[in-house]
Amino acid sequence: MLHFASVAASFVMPTHTGSETAQILIRWFHILAGITWIGLLYFFNLINIPFMKQVDAAMKPKIFQYLTLPTLNLFRWSALLTVFVGFWYWSQVYVAVDAHNAGVSPWSTIGLFLLIWFVTWGIYYPILLKTPNPWLLALIVVVLVGAAGWLFVSCTPVGKDDNHLLSIGVGGGLGMFMLLNVFHVIWPNNKKIISGTLAGSPPANAAVLARRAFLASRTNFYLSVPMLFFMAASSHYPILGK
């Protein structure tokens, strides 16, 4: 009887605070949205792009209307939800706590993060418009995001020994960069092409729009690898702090 009681006790759920419950729910939404976003990113790059090259012109309007457009909508909103929820979680759970322990404001670190990654994308965007060579663009992106990650890790006012804060500061920064590509290049360019095609009057610069959207999407495809690495390393592989 005593043995049974000890076994039964092992199945009793531990108690959780409201804050802990909220945190796991936020992380769950972040992970679910991220799986959707990156899964669709891989679908577009590995399946849809090669497939569309083989499709007859007469079939493209139907594919655009019933496959590409709905998928792009899910793609962009899952990207936004992933980054928004992840940014909120990082800011509240890691930056705010480290700043509180240090007796300083968290806004200096949050502001530095946003400044670095928005400026990095702002430098990249005009290069994207003028660089048709994908390998040259890839090299430029590696230099830009490498410099941005180094700058954040080196200059963050708080959390210099916190692997969670630093790793997510890099991985989440790559996610922010990718989100800007989604909303400023991939979605609007494809929307113009699809809307024009469905209306029977594709834009005159459709080839240019498609090429830029492709380059931005391929950039995101490559960046997803280090992005996922740093996000996982934040909890499973201390690399930038304790």
Side-chain angles (χ1 to χ4, degrees), residues 61-141:
K62 287 290 186 182
I63 295 174
F64 282 162
Q65 183 176 3
Y66 295 110
L67 175 63
T68 310
L69 190 57
T71 307
L72 275 171
N73 270 306
L74 181 59
F75 173 73
R76 66 179 178 131
W77 293 121
S78 61
L80 181 62
L81 183 61
T82 301
V83 174
F84 176 80
V85 174
F87 177 73
W88 187 92
Y89 186 90
W90 175 73
S91 300
Q92 293 295 317
V93 175
Y94 298 121
V95 179
V97 171
D98 284 355
H100 175 76
N101 292 338
V104 297
S105 171
W107 290 107
S108 55
T109 294
I110 294 172
L112 177 68
F113 171 87
L114 293 173
L115 177 64
I116 287 175
W117 290 106
F118 273 81
V119 168
T120 301
W121 188 85
I123 296 171
Y124 154 85
Y125 180 65
I127 297 173
L128 169 69
L129 300 182
K130 298 179 180 179
T131 308
N133 187 307
W135 296 110
L136 177 58
L137 182 65
L139 177 61
I140 293 171
V141 169

Side-chain angles (χ1 to χ4, degrees), residues 5-241:
S6 64
V7 171
S10 67
F11 288 98
V12 175
M13 287 292 292
T15 58
H16 299 98
T17 66
S19 176
E20 289 171 335
T21 301
Q23 288 178 21
I24 191 60
L25 287 174
I26 292 169
R27 291 188 73 177
W28 184 81
F29 278 111
H30 175 64
I31 292 170
L32 182 61
I35 291 171
T36 305
W37 176 23
I38 301 305
L40 291 176
L41 174 67
Y42 288 177
F43 164 76
F44 279 122
N45 278 271
L46 298 178
I47 299 173
N48 191 66
I49 291 175
F51 168 72
M52 291 302 290
K53 292 179 180 179
Q54 309 302 321
V55 171
D56 295 335
M59 294 178 59
K60 287 187 177 181
K62 287 290 186 182
I63 295 174
F64 282 162
Q65 183 176 3
Y66 295 110
L67 175 63
T68 310
L69 190 57
T71 307
L72 275 171
N73 270 306
L74 181 59
F75 173 73
R76 66 179 178 131
W77 293 121
S78 61
L80 181 62
L81 183 61
T82 301
V83 174
F84 176 80
V85 174
F87 177 73
W88 187 92
Y89 186 90
W90 175 73
S91 300
Q92 293 295 317
V93 175
Y94 298 121
V95 179
V97 171
D98 284 355
H100 175 76
N101 292 338
V104 297
S105 171
W107 290 107
S108 55
T109 294
I110 294 172
L112 177 68
F113 171 87
L114 293 173
L115 177 64
I116 287 175
W117 290 106
F118 273 81
V119 168
T120 301
W121 188 85
I123 296 171
Y124 154 85
Y125 180 65
I127 297 173
L128 169 69
L129 300 182
K130 298 179 180 179
T131 308
N133 187 307
W135 296 110
L136 177 58
L137 182 65
L139 177 61
I140 293 171
V141 169
V142 168
V143 173
L144 285 175
V145 300
W150 175 84
L151 193 62
F152 176 78
V153 170
S154 301
C155 300
T156 179
V158 300
K160 288 185 179 295
D161 62 346
D162 185 348
N163 183 64
H164 290 95
L165 188 149
L166 297 175
S167 291
I168 298 175
V170 177
L174 294 173
M176 185 73 71
F177 186 101
M178 293 163 63
L179 178 69
L180 292 170
N181 264 346
V182 170
F183 271 84
H184 288 279
V185 185
I186 299 170
W187 165 251
N189 285 23
N190 279 292
K191 183 66 165 56
K192 290 175 184 176
I193 296 169
I194 293 171
S195 298
T197 300
L198 295 179
S201 56
N205 63 338
V208 174
L209 294 174
R211 182 63 178 172
R212 290 172 180 170
F214 166 77
L215 290 174
S217 183
R218 191 51 56 93
T219 297
N220 282 11
F221 176 71
Y222 294 142
L223 288 181
S224 70
V225 177
M227 183 269 289
L228 292 170
F229 171 80
F230 280 105
M231 298 304 287
S234 67
S235 295
H236 303 291
Y237 189 67
I239 189 174
L240 297 174

